[in-house]
Amino acid sequence: MVSPNQSERFHDAHCHREASVPAVRLVAASDNPMELSGIRSEAARAGIELFAVARTGPELRETILQYQPDVVLAEADLPRQSFMDVVAEVRARMPKLACVLFDRIVPDCVIGQALRMRFAGILTKGEQEPELVMADVLAAARGEKRYSESAAVRIHENTSPGDRQPKFTDRLSALGDRQLE
């Protein structure tokens, strides 16, 4: 069964391609060619212009700077440089760049970092239909925030009443003394 929120997002993804709005320019990054092929076909179905794909962090950085996309959809751990590190570098030149993290496993420390870096979305692969991922890309281009169900639950679990930001630990502070040795 599709929830009302999912139905609305599905409708958004398919209605936007018929509207006379400028195409959303997307850059995607994954080290998995099959993932990139799936993203390419779903983007085309949703009317999203996939300008380029990247397979490594440095390639993603250069692609973003060259194509100036509206949205970047990428996995956290790209070879040779993480998505987070790439975003930290390019945000000085492109402060309004909408970044959507899209990965199978998203640890709490990565969710916390993505929130601190004002990511437009944190999506867990396999939690929603591919067309809903593209609806989330369209939402990110409009300045909206989107989170997969598991990311939203973990954000909620790490937020106390009155907090402005969830309290996620970074990677090293989550380790004990023995693990740090």
Side-chain angles (χ1 to χ4, degrees):
M1 183 170 136
V2 177
S3 72
N5 187 29
Q6 288 178 333
S7 176
E8 178 182 304
R9 288 167 40 202
F10 180 81
H11 177 76
D12 286 351
H14 292 281
C15 289
H16 271 78
R17 79 175 150 193
E18 297 170 9
S20 60
V21 295
V24 172
R25 297 172 316 182
L26 174 67
V27 166
S30 172
D31 60 353
N32 182 332
M34 294 295 288
E35 295 275 347
L36 290 173
S37 177
I39 291 169
R40 184 180 307 283
S41 63
E42 287 302 324
R45 284 183 46 189
I48 297 171
E49 193 169 351
L50 181 60
F51 268 68
V53 298
R55 290 182 175 80
T56 68
E59 188 179 316
L60 177 60
R61 181 186 62 246
E62 295 308 315
T63 302
I64 291 170
L65 294 174
Q66 178 181 352
Y67 291 101
Q68 304 280 308
D70 300 307
V71 181
V72 178
L73 178 71
E75 298 171 343
D77 292 322
L78 295 169
R80 300 194 347 233
Q81 187 178 20
S82 76
F83 182 30
M84 309 310 213
D85 290 343
V86 169
V87 172
E89 286 183 26
V90 300
R91 276 275 172 87
R93 293 184 194 176
M94 300 177 64
K96 295 185 188 260
L97 178 65
C99 300
V100 179
L101 178 63
F102 184 53
D103 221 327
R104 286 197 196 297
I105 299 170
V106 185
D108 284 357
C109 59
V110 173
I111 292 173
Q113 187 177 9
L115 291 172
R116 286 188 298 277
M117 294 177 76
R118 302 177 330 276
F119 271 46
I122 303 170
L123 308 176
T124 305
K125 291 178 184 177
E127 277 193 29
Q128 58 201 48
E129 297 300 318
E131 58 270 10
L132 296 179
V133 172
M134 291 303 128
D136 291 339
V137 167
L138 291 169
R142 293 189 305 265
E144 299 172 21
K145 305 275 188 200
R146 295 292 173 102
Y147 306 107
S148 65
E149 184 177 345
S150 65
V153 165
R154 290 179 21 237
I155 291 167
H156 178 74
E157 289 172 346
N158 284 281
T159 307
S160 301
D163 286 347
R164 298 188 77 180
Q165 283 283 332
K167 303 226 182 333
F168 287 102
T169 59
D170 64 31
R171 292 178 187 186
L172 293 179
S173 65
L175 301 176
D177 291 336
R178 201 166 164 193
Q179 292 167 316
L180 288 171
E181 292 174 357

